[in-house]
Amino acid sequence: ETAEAVVKLFRDRGNRADRKRARIKYLVHDWGVERFREVLAGYLPFPLVPPRAAEITGFELHLGWQPQGDGKWGLGISVENGRVKDEGSLRLRSGLRKIIDKFRPNLSITAQQDLLLRDLDASARSEIDRLLSEHGIVREDRISLLQQFSMACPAIPTCGLAISEAERTLPGIVDELETVLAELGLREEKISVRMTGCPNGCVRPYQSDIGIVGRSGDKYTLFVGGHVLSTRLNFELKDLLPRGEIVPLLTKLLSAFRTARRNGESFGDFCHRLGREETQRLAGVAVPAEKHA
């Protein structure tokens, strides 16, 4: 009932005439949370209860075999950027079709764009593992943490709002960053990278350690300073950054992170602690005079 009320409120009060602002986030931003809550109360037959404070301490990716607690098993399969396809030696689409046709699991899509096959019998594990190997579907222990925590929106050519590539470009950026992290001894760091083809931010790039947002053609706005748990907004590091300069710029920051981080500090925490101006200085980003003012 509450979800239906939210949709009705947006139907009645949202700016649906302007496609660029036809999103509920703009209504909440313009009104503020308290006014939104007050108006929403008029659509409901019961009072709204204020939310309880709840600290986010982590989340589970659900990759690999997971006991469900009822004698059944779940199998989480990493799907890069949510795209189920056959490409080269990776025949993800064909392999999943065989597994699902034979074992008929229930399916869930996770918030990381991965697939969770549920309610499987333990006796099915060996044959499913064989089918995964046969179709080149890489298991979670062979997928880098960087890739596991990376996401991109479909962007070009699927989305009519996209002005830059994302889904087809992020894998290359992740590959380059994996090499940099290995050279710096940071391979085991959990660093979230999210890339979108326009500023609408459909994979939540404004909360990640590294956010890459399509700006124009092959140019992007680069953000840093968020958190892998999405508990903090990041800040703009550089605008109109060509695709080829993204990894070299991040390499400077990652090198500084390796040498100057505090105990237990994540990459996003490091950038957030330094602040925008110091982070830009370390990255060699020239700040226009008017921005200083």
Side-chain angles (χ1 to χ4, degrees):
E1 288 179 287
T2 306
E4 182 178 337
V6 170
V7 173
K8 287 179 177 178
L9 187 159
F10 178 65
R11 175 199 64 192
D12 297 341
R13 309 295 291 273
N15 183 3
R16 296 189 296 130
D18 182 357
R19 190 177 181 190
K20 292 181 179 179
R21 290 184 60 83
R23 286 170 171 258
I24 200 167
K25 65 180 181 181
Y26 293 117
L27 184 60
V28 175
H29 178 269
D30 293 343
W31 281 6
V33 173
E34 289 307 315
R35 183 186 172 192
F36 187 90
R37 186 179 285 125
E38 289 173 5
V39 176
L40 179 63
Y43 285 79
L44 292 167
F46 48 81
L48 282 173
V49 179
R52 293 184 308 232
E55 182 183 2
I56 300 172
T57 58
F59 63 89
E60 175 59 55
L61 292 176
H62 304 294
L63 295 178
W65 286 102
Q66 312 274 341
Q68 295 182 177
D70 59 357
K72 299 285 188 177
W73 288 79
L75 173 61
I77 296 176
S78 178
V79 182
E80 189 170 24
N81 299 326
R83 180 66 65 185
V84 178
K85 62 182 178 180
D86 288 355
E87 186 174 70
S89 61
L90 172 61
R91 293 178 292 139
L92 180 61
R93 185 169 180 262
S94 300
L96 284 173
R97 183 180 292 279
K98 281 192 176 182
I99 292 169
I100 292 168
D101 282 347
K102 181 164 187 176
F103 298 99
R104 312 306 296 179
N106 288 308
L107 302 176
S108 295
I109 299 173
T110 76
Q112 283 292 121
Q113 302 176 322
D114 296 325
L115 195 62
L116 182 60
L117 283 60
R118 299 183 289 107
D119 305 316
L120 291 162
D121 292 326
S123 60
R125 287 187 59 171
S126 60
E127 186 169 357
I128 290 176
D129 285 341
R130 180 186 63 78
L131 286 169
L132 293 174
S133 298
E134 186 180 291
H135 290 82
I137 301 173
V138 180
R139 302 299 298 274
E140 70 283 352
D141 57 352
R142 293 175 54 198
I143 300 173
S144 71
L145 285 175
L146 187 71
Q147 182 176 325
Q148 290 182 27
F149 286 95
S150 72
M151 288 195 292
C153 74
I156 295 172
T158 307
C159 177
L161 297 179
I163 53 180
S164 302
E165 291 276 4
E167 180 195 323
R168 299 189 297 189
T169 294
L170 183 58
I173 291 176
V174 168
D175 289 346
E176 293 173 34
L177 284 173
E178 283 174 344
T179 300
V180 172
L181 291 174
E183 292 173 351
L184 294 174
L186 299 172
R187 190 183 309 208
E188 298 306 311
E189 290 295 320
K190 291 182 180 179
I191 300 176
S192 55
V193 182
R194 297 177 186 162
M195 186 175 195
T196 62
C198 81
N200 280 315
C202 288
V203 293
R204 314 182 297 281
Y206 305 114
Q207 299 164 301
S208 54
D209 293 289
I210 299 169
I212 306 169
V213 177
R215 187 72 160 77
S216 175
D218 73 338
K219 293 184 173 62
Y220 297 82
T221 306
L222 183 62
F223 297 83
V224 294
H227 196 275
V228 71
L229 298 182
S230 297
T231 53
R232 179 178 62 230
L233 292 174
N234 48 31
F235 56 83
E236 180 184 315
L237 182 67
K238 185 173 176 58
D239 193 20
L240 293 171
L241 184 66
R243 154 67 181 90
E245 297 179 19
I246 293 173
V247 173
L249 190 152
L250 288 172
T251 300
K252 297 177 184 178
L253 285 183
L254 288 165
S255 298
F257 168 63
R258 180 188 62 174
T259 58
R261 67 187 298 189
R262 292 177 177 174
N263 187 37
E265 193 171 46
S266 70
F267 178 68
D269 291 338
F270 173 74
C271 295
H272 177 73
R273 173 171 62 85
L274 294 183
R276 181 179 177 184
E277 288 192 9
E278 178 61 13
T279 306
Q280 288 177 320
R281 186 190 68 79
L282 287 174
V285 174
V287 182
E290 61 270 17
K291 290 202 173 184
H292 281 305

